[in-house]
Amino acid sequence: MIVDEVKQDYIKDLIKNGKRADNRGMLDYRPISVQTGIIPNAEGSALAHIGDTKVLAGVKLDLMTPFADRPNEGVVIFNSEFSPMAHPEFEAGPPNEKSIELARVIDRGIRSADVVDIKGLSETGIEGKVLGVYIDLYVLDHNGDLTDAAGLAAMAALSTTRVPKMENNLLVRSESSGNLKLARMAMPTTFTFVNGVPLIDATNEEEVASEGMVTISTSSDGFICAGQKSGSLGLKREKLVELADIALNKGKELLRYV
Amino acid sequence: MTEKKLLGDDGKRLSGRSDVDLRPLSMSVGILKQANGSAMVEWGKNKVIAAVYGPREVFPKHQTNPHKARISFRYVMAPFCSMEEHGRAGPNRRSIEISKVLKHVFENLVLVNQFPKTSVDISTEVIQSDGGTRVAALTAASLALVDAGIPMRDLVSPVSVGKIEGRIVVDLDKDEDNFGSSDMPVGFSHRTGEIVLWQMDGMLTRDELAKGLDMAFEASKKVRELQLEALKAKYGTAEQAETG
């Protein structure tokens, strides 16, 4: 938005003086809350709020034919929707590159850390059928830091996902056979660089003023499980490792809300 | 991840390479006639062509930026490029994401403020793939931009590193990427030492990340040497140039 662009100099000046527009520390999150189970028809759901950013994650399970080259594995599919209600610049239509990037970065973190036991998803007891887990990330209100909010929503939704009973080669969605088993957790931490300073949980106007972002996903057992540099930003090797150390702590901070 | 033996009994990789060896790498500049700049990179079994058009008028027009040039980047894989079945032609979700992060690399390196209201359109096609195609595409794009005479701060010299059987190694091939436990493409600008491309998946400890970045930095120096050689092969050295 043009307003955010006009504000760029103001935001950059503030950061130069060690301040943020809402008086937060550089590595502080806005207030965070998570509501789970708000879509009872979905097998799992969560609405994550970080400040006034809101991302809704819905999880549906389906029986499906496995991929030909992976007959003994279930399927996990992430998608993200930037709803036109979330921001004046979001338009209806097929996913754009930002939406695809968001879904794929969240996907990489959760897939690399083997959060969902995909081998277990193949044990349906039904010949030629495995469980598919669809995780849809709906951005409802965009005031920055969508990746972290989406990661939080996805983990909270997955950790409360129930697996329907299977009877006569069909899913009985009204009855649960227990919760989806998760081996560990994974959480993204995004650093937005404004004037060379990495900020945690940037607002939309800080993102507009920024040179770029680095997202580092970390697992609950202390591994780095996904990374993405986005935007024209360049950074030194030592800086990236320093950010990874911060992400290992910040990931745990967000996991407390799951 | 699926397990498969990727290291031989001699401790070397199945290709006979050591942990820090690159696959054979060759580059040629100016291989297409219509494009303002072009290059081809053969990196192991990968073959990637890059072409650059611009600076030229922006299309669609509303994307015109009065302050700087727009960079567009297209990375696609040909439907016949892999050892597997016939792929679908054109962009998919993976290639759209890769195109986006590769575009950002040149938003950093191209002096976009020197030619506002224009577009620099970079197109790369993977015509044969064997792991590490995005770093091959980035290498080729960098040469094609120089060939097109686009002013840049620096070349980008990329390489991937990853983890196979617990070891951090340089320049994963297809099997090492598919059956290894981590893959991390990194691109450096050696004038500043800065990372301009970074993606990773798989599980790394913090120390493995640091080691991988250092190994990528060293290996990318070799990529840069070959890039400079390929440019000199077409354009000669500064001493030979009439304009200096």
Side-chain angles (χ1 to χ4, degrees):
Chain A
M1 270 191 307
I2 191 80
V3 184
D4 293 329
E5 280 176 33
V6 172
K7 266 182 128 176
Q8 279 190 51
D9 291 339
Y10 164 71
I11 297 286
K12 286 180 189 166
D13 275 348
L14 274 179
I15 301 290
K16 213 179 284 173
N17 295 315
K19 286 201 182 102
R20 293 175 81 169
D22 52 12
N23 288 319
R24 268 185 295 154
M26 301 298 156
L27 300 180
D28 289 345
Y29 279 101
R30 290 167 286 180
I32 296 170
S33 67
V34 179
Q35 298 158 268
T36 55
I38 60 163
I39 312 292
N41 284 354
E43 276 77 61
S45 61
L47 177 60
H49 311 246
I50 302 186
D52 44 17
T53 286
K54 290 181 187 57
V55 179
L56 171 65
V59 181
K60 288 298 286 182
L61 269 58
D62 274 328
L63 284 171
M64 59 190 291
T65 311
F67 291 121
D69 55 338
R70 293 168 186 270
N72 301 317
E73 291 183 5
V75 177
V76 179
I77 295 174
F78 285 84
N79 188 45
S80 94
E81 292 284 338
F82 284 17
S83 167
M85 75 175 69
H87 193 268
E89 277 179 8
F90 288 177
E91 290 169 20
N96 64 15
E97 58 175 25
K98 285 185 184 170
S99 168
I100 290 171
E101 181 184 35
L102 175 78
R104 288 181 58 87
V105 169
I106 301 298
D107 180 320
R108 280 212 291 280
I110 290 178
R111 196 177 297 275
S112 295
D114 288 326
V115 169
V116 181
D117 171 20
I118 52 170
K119 290 247 155 50
L121 294 180
S122 72
E123 292 152 14
T124 55
I126 302 169
E127 183 65 27
K129 292 285 179 193
V130 298
L131 275 175
V133 181
Y134 292 87
I135 300 127
D136 287 282
L137 304 164
Y138 264 57
V139 176
L140 300 181
D141 208 348
H142 169 32
N143 188 13
D145 205 21
L146 291 182
T147 311
D148 294 4
L152 180 57
M155 274 321 310
L158 280 172
S159 64
T160 53
T161 293
R162 54 185 195 278
V163 181
K165 251 193 185 153
M166 280 167 258
E167 255 176 35
N168 304 325
N169 295 353
L170 290 171
L171 291 182
V172 183
R173 293 185 195 273
S174 54
E175 289 176 57
S176 165
S177 67
N179 272 7
L180 184 68
K181 285 191 192 67
L182 304 183
R184 56 172 76 77
M185 301 281 183
M187 196 61 82
T189 303
T190 300
F191 301 89
T192 303
F193 281 69
V194 178
N195 251 343
V197 178
L199 309 178
I200 287 259
D201 185 26
T203 60
N204 188 45
E205 57 187 27
E206 286 171 335
E207 286 178 356
V208 170
S210 80
E211 303 93 68
M213 305 180 190
V214 172
T215 296
I216 302 173
S217 279
T218 54
S219 69
S220 48
D221 51 353
F223 287 89
I224 296 150
C225 53
Q228 179 96 332
K229 192 215 72 129
S230 206
S232 67
L233 169 74
L235 78 167
K236 293 277 168 65
R237 278 172 287 161
E238 311 81 65
K239 190 73 192 175
L240 186 52
V241 176
E242 194 185 311
L243 295 184
D245 284 333
I246 299 171
L248 283 162
N249 282 319
K250 285 287 167 183
K252 282 187 195 130
E253 193 178 319
L254 275 197
L255 275 177
R256 286 207 299 267
Y257 297 90
V258 174
Chain B
M1 304 245 170
T2 320
E3 299 293 322
K4 183 179 173 181
K5 205 158 162 42
L6 296 168
L7 293 172
D9 295 332
D10 55 358
K12 284 194 174 166
R13 297 151 74 180
L14 294 185
S15 54
R17 288 187 286 152
S18 78
D19 294 357
V20 296
D21 286 343
L22 293 174
R23 288 171 283 181
L25 177 53
S26 68
M27 309 174 191
S28 39
V29 178
I31 57 154
L32 305 173
K33 290 297 171 213
Q34 305 305 316
N36 298 121
S38 59
M40 176 157 178
V41 167
E42 295 181 61
W43 191 321
K45 289 182 200 157
N46 292 308
K47 293 182 203 286
V48 182
I49 302 174
V52 169
Y53 284 87
R56 63 179 178 182
E57 266 190 74
V58 184
F59 185 80
K61 276 210 152 97
H62 68 88
Q63 290 184 10
T64 308
N65 187 320
H67 306 293
K68 57 187 182 189
R70 180 199 66 172
I71 309 283
S72 77
F73 198 109
R74 175 182 155 92
Y75 160 100
V76 283
M77 293 178 105
F80 48 78
C81 75
S82 82
M83 276 290 280
E84 280 83 50
E85 74 280 7
H86 181 247
R88 250 186 232 170
N92 53 29
R93 288 167 64 88
R94 170 180 174 275
S95 75
I96 290 169
E97 186 206 346
I98 292 174
S99 299
K100 180 176 186 288
V101 293
L102 299 189
K103 170 183 75 181
H104 294 317
V105 170
F106 295 109
E107 286 171 347
N108 178 299
L109 295 174
V110 172
L111 300 177
V112 286
N113 297 317
Q114 286 194 2
F115 32 97
K117 300 183 207 168
T118 67
S119 183
V120 175
D121 301 318
I122 308 160
S123 182
T124 61
E125 302 270 353
V126 178
I127 55 174
Q128 179 158 287
S129 66
D130 189 46
T133 56
R134 81 194 71 183
V135 293
L138 197 53
T139 307
S142 196
L143 295 174
L145 280 159
V146 175
D147 190 36
I150 307 287
M152 288 193 287
R153 261 180 271 283
D154 195 5
L155 296 169
V156 53
S157 306
V159 69
S160 74
V161 292
K163 189 159 77 165
I164 57 170
E165 294 187 24
R167 253 171 40 201
I168 306 292
V169 300
V170 159
D171 189 21
L172 305 185
D173 61 29
K174 183 89 195 151
D175 273 351
E176 290 174 331
D177 180 10
N178 282 357
F179 300 102
S181 52
S182 180
D183 178 27
M184 176 163 82
V186 198
F188 292 96
S189 156
H190 279 275
R191 278 185 66 181
T192 58
E194 281 187 338
I195 295 167
V196 285
L197 168 77
W198 181 65
Q199 295 186 282
M200 74 150 276
D201 63 33
M203 300 277 268
L204 292 180
T205 64
R206 173 252 188 234
D207 290 345
E208 286 170 340
L209 170 69
K211 185 179 176 192
L213 291 172
D214 288 347
M215 284 170 74
F217 184 73
E218 289 306 317
S220 72
K221 286 181 185 167
K222 290 177 217 154
V223 177
R224 184 185 170 87
E225 271 170 34
L226 293 169
Q227 286 174 307
L228 293 176
E229 263 174 38
L231 289 167
K232 283 175 188 163
K234 180 171 182 198
Y235 290 104
T237 58
E239 292 74 41
Q240 291 162 346
E242 282 174 34
T243 52

